[in-house]
Amino acid sequence: MIILRKIKAGALQFVLFVGAVIALLLMSFLLLTYTHRHFEKKTDVLIEVLRSADYAMAASLGEDFDQGIDRSLERQSDIPLAISAKRDFWGVLEKRTVFTSHNNTTHIKTALIGGKDKEELPALFISDHQRPVILAGKAKITGNAFLPQQGLKMGNIQGNSYNRSRLLYGRSMRSDSVLPKLSQDLENQVNLLANIDYIPNGKLLNRLPSGGMKNSFKEETLIYKDRVVRLRDIELTGNIIIVADQKIIVEQSARLNDIILLAPEIVLENRVKGTFQAIATESIHVGKNCELYYPSVLVVKKKNKAVNLAKGDRATYVDKPNIYLDTNTRFSGIVMVLDESAVKQYIPELKIETNTVVNGEVYCSKNVELKGTVNGMVSTDGFLALENGSIYQNHIYNGIINSNDLSATYVGILLASRENNKKVMKWLY
């Protein structure tokens, strides 16, 4: 016998409510699963695009292709990728940009590129002009050295003799009569920047913002130009070029990062800090207690002109150095003086003062006066020491060169011998 009983409306509502909740939970679970799988796939695509950018940068360093042209690259992948690389220059440093994309997922990486010796970085290369290098005072050379046939000898300046047990703390090799050659691209770029008619490509600014500015290397270059430029109480970062017809002065209050300074004369006042490239056609003066971080660059490309020399071996000091680093300064990067003049000179074109330290490379086509320390490599045509009105040719007085104290990760000047071993100096933004 079947007994029919009424079911209360509240119970039916409860059943419907539970059913709706279960349906919502099932739909939420399905949506969560789909979303998880979707983001998992997006993440996999993003990771593959990022990895491909790193691959493209490494692969492009081994490729020889023209500047300003997008070079397509291929990489085996589970997803179709568009990969390309482009090379040009930022100042005197080569710049590489790689582009990787899959559908709407795109990634761009930009880096400054330099050269690196495949073997141990030498401490010294001095051109062979059939005369020895004389060490006096506290001078010391640690690391392998390319020297003239006459090698190193002990000397005496103002009663301060060389008194160390060894002349060279490393291996000695024979040098040539010419310095290691720059890569052709770097030489062309330096000549371009030193041309008085050179105008950088980019957006010209009427004035510099009072608070400063930051410009990504993915954007168009910003350029500010004036007759004389004084940088004070301003922060400039990134893809920015400052150009002056006569002179650029950088005060202590300026904060410069990765920018380029172009002028005949550039003056960094005392206690300036930053990371930038200063490229001049006449002179660069770096004041006391400055700190320029890696990879900073100082370059003077001299115009050919006659030099008025005094008579005899005791020539009068008639000119200032093309690059002068004052006392207690710390510089990390590349210092270059290039002068193609064939006139013999009795003045130092590069002077590094006492207690100043250069971590990196010094490349000078004429004479260097070294009183401070170079942790890295010095390539020069010769040395001078100026003491109490006397000129000591091919003398190092109290100067120290030590290639062993330079970081193994250092990447430097793009020499012709290093073109097949290019490395990333710094990632840009």
Side-chain angles (χ1 to χ4, degrees), residues 300-345:
V300 169
K301 169 66 175 179
K302 290 289 290 185
K303 303 173 185 176
N304 289 335
K305 64 179 181 179
V307 178
N308 184 20
L309 301 178
K311 297 180 180 180
D313 291 336
R314 295 172 62 84
T316 304
Y317 186 83
V318 295
D319 204 354
K320 63 182 180 180
N322 299 138
I323 297 183
Y324 178 74
L325 278 71
D326 211 337
T327 56
N328 298 308
T329 281
R330 298 291 180 271
F331 177 89
S332 295
I334 298 168
V335 181
M336 298 177 64
V337 179
L338 303 174
D339 187 346
E340 298 175 355
S341 172
V343 178
K344 187 176 181 180
Q345 300 188 25

Side-chain angles (χ1 to χ4, degrees), residues 323-373:
I323 297 183
Y324 178 74
L325 278 71
D326 211 337
T327 56
N328 298 308
T329 281
R330 298 291 180 271
F331 177 89
S332 295
I334 298 168
V335 181
M336 298 177 64
V337 179
L338 303 174
D339 187 346
E340 298 175 355
S341 172
V343 178
K344 187 176 181 180
Q345 300 188 25
Y346 292 88
I347 57 173
E349 292 211 339
L350 168 61
K351 185 170 183 177
I352 301 174
E353 280 286 9
T354 306
N355 294 327
T356 285
V357 177
V358 174
N359 295 305
E361 287 179 272
V362 168
Y363 188 99
C364 182
S365 62
K366 295 298 181 182
N367 296 313
V368 173
E369 184 177 9
L370 178 60
K371 292 185 173 182
T373 299

Side-chain angles (χ1 to χ4, degrees), residues 95-108:
K95 184 180 72 172
R96 293 285 176 106
T97 304
V98 296
F99 309 85
T100 56
S101 64
H102 171 76
N103 295 334
N104 294 328
T105 303
T106 302
H107 186 62
I108 301 173

Side-chain angles (χ1 to χ4, degrees), residues 1-37:
M1 179 178 173
I2 299 175
I3 301 175
L4 298 176
R5 290 190 295 178
K6 291 183 179 180
I7 299 176
K8 295 182 179 181
L12 289 174
Q13 291 176 352
F14 179 75
V15 171
L16 292 174
F17 174 76
V18 170
V21 169
I22 293 173
L24 287 174
L25 289 175
L26 289 174
M27 291 177 63
S28 299
F29 177 75
L30 292 174
L31 181 61
L32 180 62
T33 301
Y34 171 79
T35 303
H36 178 75
R37 289 180 178 177

Side-chain angles (χ1 to χ4, degrees), residues 15-67:
V15 171
L16 292 174
F17 174 76
V18 170
V21 169
I22 293 173
L24 287 174
L25 289 175
L26 289 174
M27 291 177 63
S28 299
F29 177 75
L30 292 174
L31 181 61
L32 180 62
T33 301
Y34 171 79
T35 303
H36 178 75
R37 289 180 178 177
H38 174 74
F39 279 106
E40 192 176 56
K41 290 180 180 179
K42 291 282 289 184
T43 301
D44 290 342
V45 168
L46 179 59
I47 291 174
E48 188 64 19
V49 168
L50 294 176
R51 285 177 177 172
S52 296
D54 291 333
Y55 163 82
M57 182 62 72
S60 74
L61 295 181
E63 296 279 344
D64 184 19
F65 55 97
D66 293 334
Q67 297 182 48

Side-chain angles (χ1 to χ4, degrees), residues 136-137 155-163 388 392 397:
N156 182 300
I157 294 180
Q158 304 295 321
N160 295 309
S161 301
Y162 183 83
N163 55 14
N388 295 329
Y392 298 86
Y397 183 47

